[in-house]
């Protein structure tokens, strides 16, 4: 029986019309990265499983795709785990490799492994697939692409400012209006400090992160059930409800935060970033969002998140500063900052906004109609010359009815055909037909080449 | 304890200097494919395991990377296989997905699945990674790239001829001298027919495939131990030892093969291909090699293999015609022909031949030296203008010693620096330094932009 032709849940084929649009996104991101001096690396699709586990929280560990060991893997399997029917425990002994879950952890591993072969500050970009065994839904796939840029080995906030510039330029090129949200983990820590609830930092952050979705009253309830006193909740409420520009917010908070060293540090960083972004004329694009808390796992300073203004899709780009990422692999005191564009969601946003415009599926400018053996030689002569002049062109490979060949040309979106039958051959000319207008011209090969060159 | 920073056996990181060379190979292959009218598709890295198993022989099944099911996979595991400690049998129940082993089978699956959305003849290319759990050695990796082009839905030998043209153009662009070997499975079948040993076709083919390596006497021995009579072996020997051009070989064999319909068909196909290649002026590049038998699993007509003339690396490109590939997935009577470039081996060949030339790791033309807070603003103004003019440029993000910043510029291979301290700022000029010659010029920003635009 024939196998069913289907792909695994959450994965996709990309047909030519889809792929040219994806390439359009990738190439815009890549060319902006390169313009800002980033260089490209690639890491393997699979990593040793210890490189991945424990880096993304318990939830992340569950979402890792693990690769079954080759050969007689049961010979080395953990017998106790087998006995106990413990799938999770057994995995460690029968699946020693896993698929990349993001590009950040493999990059940290790369930096440590190749520390003597690269120049710091190291500015790298990387556009590769990642895999997560997540439940597929709108905007969420099991195989998807991340497009990351990181600067590692520099603490300057100029790096953050350049990343915001990159975000701005990429989305302007892609015709997506976005809001770039900024925050700083140190400010969140400062907030916990000034209400004397440092040890409830996580609970506070998780609660205020929900402000957009559940509103201030529910946030207050959640803070209260975490054990915060009314006075502390009022203070948070006051901070969250302050309206004003980025710089107004900063000066308002400086008054509140003067007892928190870390909080003041976060505010100073935000102010410095503000100055750079003012220099780069980007103040209208950004928004200081105190509720922003993404990626608390490893971010230690600036936090960045980007959402589309005209489509509801969640975050389409995000990032931040991490002071300690490479220490997992034994290299301490190397600060880094990076961003990641989610190409698949950006694709979905652009589809929804209908901003791709016309991107041709192929380069082919001309298709030569195949009139059969007799005329083929004459047609092939033209084909060789066209290609020698770097004009993308094709011949219909079979002798089929003209109508079929014309339909094929139309369906492929090829703009011109060349017809070369007996009469053309005798004249040493070719008939060029514009598929859109229907207009035909009898031309020499040189004339055709000059038209398309 | 810190994790060890390493990658799984047989996989590799690509540093910027390596990746630009790989991109050079990919982009040349891609641009030739596009010039010939091929359009790009991508398929998922993972396929349902039934899509892959049984397609590459028993050996291939063993080399598949299988992905462990998520969650409590032991709950649905094959209890008998577990009881019997049978790793191979257990796999089917605990690993329902596998990593792509080549691009051909996923392409066949794609064609069947999307048959109503594509135009036949369908000319697609695909450059993606494949994975094989093979023992790593020189030129053999566990993750490597294939660069395939196939035409499906056309029986014309013009397709084969165009693929040979593509091979020729790609390797000329890459500066690799190659021999393009051609054969036809029907000719091999004809050979078995004329010696009345059709049922020993496989054994004969496997034996003569080794001629290059073991010599004619050993081939004779192997044929003899397969049960062939001396007379039959003599006939094979006669065919193998005939020296001559492609066309001489064809006419010699036509005399021998006139009793074998399939053999004559193969020779007619070879002759037609010869005529096309003669039209394309490629006769000097090709070699009719009767011992060539690669990929017997699915090839049914023309067989193509390419080896580098100046490096011993095995096949760096190969392909052929398959009449029946999509029938595995339920679509009959769709003939196809394709080729696949092995990018990783091509890389190794080019390294060995030292033909990459100078490929810069980054686009950056200019690095602006960072003199600290006071001068940064003035420097940033230049940076913004340069980038607005699409000149790839950077600023050193930290205030470091000039020497350190210069060393960094040199190590990165960036050709120019801009210095902008107090004196430049007062003059509203910038000092441009050529890192190679050491030459310095005091210029206005406009002058610098005009130099690099």
């Amino acid at each position: 029986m024939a196998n069913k032709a289907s792909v695994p849940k959450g994965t996709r084929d990309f047909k030519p019309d889809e792929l040219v649009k994806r390439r359009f996104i990738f190439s815009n991101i890549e060319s902006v990265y390169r313009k800002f001096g980033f260089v490209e690396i690639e890491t393997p699709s699979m990593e040793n499983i210890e490189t991945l586990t424990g880096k993304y929280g318990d939830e992340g560990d569950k979402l890792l795709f693990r690769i079954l060991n080759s050969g007689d893997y049961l010979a080395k399997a953990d017998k106790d785990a087998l006995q106990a029917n413990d799938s999770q425990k057994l995995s460690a002994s029968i699946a020693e490799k896993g698929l990349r879950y993001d590009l950040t952890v493999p990059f940290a591993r790369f930096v440590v492994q190749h520390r003597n072969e690269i120049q710091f500050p190291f500015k790298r970009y990387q556009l590769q697939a990642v895999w997560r065994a997540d439940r597929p839904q709108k905007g969420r796939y099991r195989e998807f692409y991340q497009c990351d840029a990181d600067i590692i080995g520099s603490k300057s906030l100029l790096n953050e400012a350049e990343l915001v510039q990159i975000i701005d330029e990429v989305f302007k090129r892609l015709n997506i209006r976005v809001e770039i949200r900024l925050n700083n983990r140190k400010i969140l820590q400062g907030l916990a400090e000034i209400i004397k609830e440092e040890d409830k930092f996580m609970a506070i952050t998780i609660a205020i992160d929900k402000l957009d979705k559940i509103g201030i009253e529910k946030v207050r309830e959640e803070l209260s059930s975490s054990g915060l006193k009314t006075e502390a909740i009022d203070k948070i409420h006051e901070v969250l409800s302050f309206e004003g520009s980025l710089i107004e917010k900063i000066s308002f908070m400086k008054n509140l935060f003067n007892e928190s060293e870390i909080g003041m540090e976060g505010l100073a960083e935000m102010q410095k970033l503000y100055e750079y972004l003012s220099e780069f004329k980007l103040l209208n694009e950004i928004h200081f969002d105190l509720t922003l808390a993404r990626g608390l796992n490893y971010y230690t300073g600036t936090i960045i998140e980007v959402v589309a203004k005209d489509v509801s899709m969640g975050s389409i780009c995000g990032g931040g500063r991490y002071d300690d990422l490479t220490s997992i692999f034994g290299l301490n005191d190397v600060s880094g900052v990076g961003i990641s564009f989610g190409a698949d969601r950006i694709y979905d946003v652009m589809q929804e906004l209908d901003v791709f415009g016309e991107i041709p599926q192929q380069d082919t400018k001309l298709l030569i109609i195949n009139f059969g053996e007799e005329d083929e030689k004459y047609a092939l002569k033209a084909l060789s010359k066209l290609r020698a002049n770097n004009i993308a062109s094709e011949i219909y490979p079979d002798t089929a009815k003209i109508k079929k060949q014309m339909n094929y040309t139309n369906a492929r979106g090829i703009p011109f055909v060349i017809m070369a039958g007996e009469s053309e051959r005798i004249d040493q000319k070719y008939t060029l037909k514009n598929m859109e207008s229907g207009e035909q011209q009898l031309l020499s090969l040189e004339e055709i080449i000059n038209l398309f060159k």
Side-chain angles (χ1 to χ4, degrees), chain A residues 35-53:
Chain A
K35 190 163 106 174
F36 278 73
F38 289 78
V39 292
E40 189 178 18
I41 70 158
E42 282 191 355
T43 61
S45 301
M46 48 182 82
E47 294 276 351
N48 294 319
I49 198 77
E50 319 84 69
T51 300
L52 303 173
T53 45

Side-chain angles (χ1 to χ4, degrees), chain A residues 302-317:
Chain A
T302 306
I303 305 168
I304 306 170
E305 183 173 88
V306 185
V307 294
K309 280 184 173 164
D310 307 307
V311 178
S312 156
M313 183 67 72
S315 159
I316 54 176
C317 178

Side-chain angles (χ1 to χ4, degrees), chain A residues 5-66:
Chain A
S6 65
V7 296
K9 195 170 60 167
T11 70
R12 297 158 293 166
D13 284 326
F14 296 108
K15 297 194 299 293
D17 58 327
E18 296 159 335
L19 200 51
V20 289
K21 292 178 189 168
R22 287 173 67 82
R23 293 263 173 263
F24 177 78
I25 295 170
F26 291 134
S27 70
N28 272 295
I29 294 171
E30 178 171 26
S31 77
V32 177
Y33 281 162
R34 294 186 70 88
K35 190 163 106 174
F36 278 73
F38 289 78
V39 292
E40 189 178 18
I41 70 158
E42 282 191 355
T43 61
S45 301
M46 48 182 82
E47 294 276 351
N48 294 319
I49 198 77
E50 319 84 69
T51 300
L52 303 173
T53 45
K55 309 303 185 298
Y56 309 103
D58 288 348
E59 197 48 35
D61 278 356
K62 283 189 198 137
L63 300 183
L64 288 174
F65 278 113
R66 290 157 198 263

Side-chain angles (χ1 to χ4, degrees), chain A residues 68-83:
Chain A
L68 197 58
N69 291 350
S70 304
D72 186 15
Y73 54 87
L74 282 174
K76 290 188 197 161
D78 176 339
K79 300 297 173 220
D80 296 342
L82 261 177
Q83 210 62 45

Side-chain angles (χ1 to χ4, degrees), chain A residues 373-385:
Chain A
E373 197 124 343
E374 196 108 325
D375 301 303
E376 214 179 57
K377 252 191 200 171
Y378 185 62
L380 291 181
K381 205 162 57 171
L383 188 63
S384 291
K385 280 260 176 69

Side-chain angles (χ1 to χ4, degrees), chain A residues 350-369:
Chain A
M350 291 179 71
Q351 281 289 89
E352 212 163 313
L353 294 176
D354 194 15
V355 289
F356 273 114
E358 282 290 319
I359 308 177
Q361 281 180 49
Q362 77 269 310
D363 295 345
T364 306
K365 298 288 177 296
L366 294 158
L367 182 134
I368 304 180
I369 299 292

Side-chain angles (χ1 to χ4, degrees), chain A residues 2 6 91 116 160 163-164 166 181 220 232 242 246 251 282 292 320 340 375 398 414 424 431 443 451 453:
Chain A
S6 65
S91 300
N116 298 321
E160 273 91 333
L163 292 174
V164 173
I166 287 173
R181 297 175 181 164
R220 290 189 66 112
F242 182 84
L246 197 152
S251 49
L282 285 175
L292 184 65
S340 180
D375 301 303
D398 302 278
I414 298 172
E424 281 94 350
T431 298
L443 299 169
L451 269 178
K453 233 172 143 174

Side-chain angles (χ1 to χ4, degrees), chain A residues 142-378:
Chain A
R142 291 185 148 190
E143 173 176 54
F144 58 99
Y145 267 73
Q146 291 190 336
C147 308
D148 284 24
D150 290 79
I151 304 112
I152 196 156
S154 163
K155 289 186 174 161
S156 167
L157 285 148
L158 190 45
N159 298 304
E160 273 91 333
E162 292 211 327
L163 292 174
V164 173
Q165 272 192 300
I166 287 173
I167 291 169
D168 177 66
E169 181 159 347
V170 165
F171 286 115
K172 287 214 168 94
R173 285 190 187 202
L174 298 179
N175 281 312
I176 303 175
R177 298 196 318 133
V178 295
E179 181 177 283
I180 303 171
R181 297 175 181 164
L182 299 174
N183 197 9
N184 192 304
R185 184 189 162 118
K186 291 174 185 166
I187 297 175
L188 291 170
Q189 283 177 285
L191 185 62
E193 262 188 37
I194 58 160
I195 58 167
K196 311 258 187 290
E197 297 280 8
E198 293 97 315
D199 53 336
K200 298 219 171 69
F201 169 65
M202 272 297 187
I204 296 169
T205 310
I206 291 167
I208 67 176
D209 186 39
K210 296 180 187 160
L211 181 63
D212 263 6
K213 282 183 203 132
I214 64 176
I216 187 69
E217 285 313 317
K218 293 268 177 204
V219 170
R220 290 189 66 112
E221 278 170 33
E222 200 168 315
L223 290 170
S224 171
S225 59
S226 302
L228 261 67
K229 297 204 192 82
T230 308
E231 199 191 341
I233 297 175
D234 285 343
K235 183 76 90 182
I236 293 175
H237 192 148
E238 184 192 354
V239 172
L240 291 183
S241 48
F242 182 84
E243 304 263 344
S245 68
L246 197 152
I247 201 70
E248 286 162 352
K249 274 186 189 163
I250 291 173
S251 49
F252 164 77
M253 289 171 73
K254 273 191 178 163
N255 287 322
L256 289 173
F257 277 40
N258 57 15
E259 307 242 309
S260 161
E261 197 181 329
I262 189 112
M264 290 304 276
E265 208 179 298
L267 288 170
E269 287 181 12
M270 189 60 94
Q271 175 151 2
K272 183 78 194 168
L273 180 53
Y274 166 87
E275 284 162 21
Y276 282 129
L277 294 176
S278 156
E279 205 61 55
F280 293 147
K281 302 190 173 46
L282 285 175
L283 293 184
N284 285 330
E285 320 298 328
I286 56 165
H287 177 68
F288 176 15
D289 181 357
L290 194 69
T291 69
L292 184 65
R294 60 178 281 125
L296 277 174
N297 285 335
Y298 45 68
Y299 293 135
T300 51
T302 306
I303 305 168
I304 306 170
E305 183 173 88
V306 185
V307 294
K309 280 184 173 164
D310 307 307
V311 178
S312 156
M313 183 67 72
S315 159
I316 54 176
C317 178
R321 179 170 288 277
Y322 41 85
D323 278 338
D324 224 19
L325 196 68
T326 56
S327 65
I328 320 167
F329 301 103
L331 182 64
N332 296 322
D333 298 321
V334 184
S335 186
V337 58
I339 52 170
S340 180
F341 289 91
D344 301 79
R345 283 193 180 175
I346 292 173
Y347 182 96
D348 292 346
V349 166
M350 291 179 71
Q351 281 289 89
E352 212 163 313
L353 294 176
D354 194 15
V355 289
F356 273 114
E358 282 290 319
I359 308 177
Q361 281 180 49
Q362 77 269 310
D363 295 345
T364 306
K365 298 288 177 296
L366 294 158
L367 182 134
I368 304 180
I369 299 292
N370 195 330
F371 284 105
E373 197 124 343
E374 196 108 325
D375 301 303
E376 214 179 57
K377 252 191 200 171
Y378 185 62

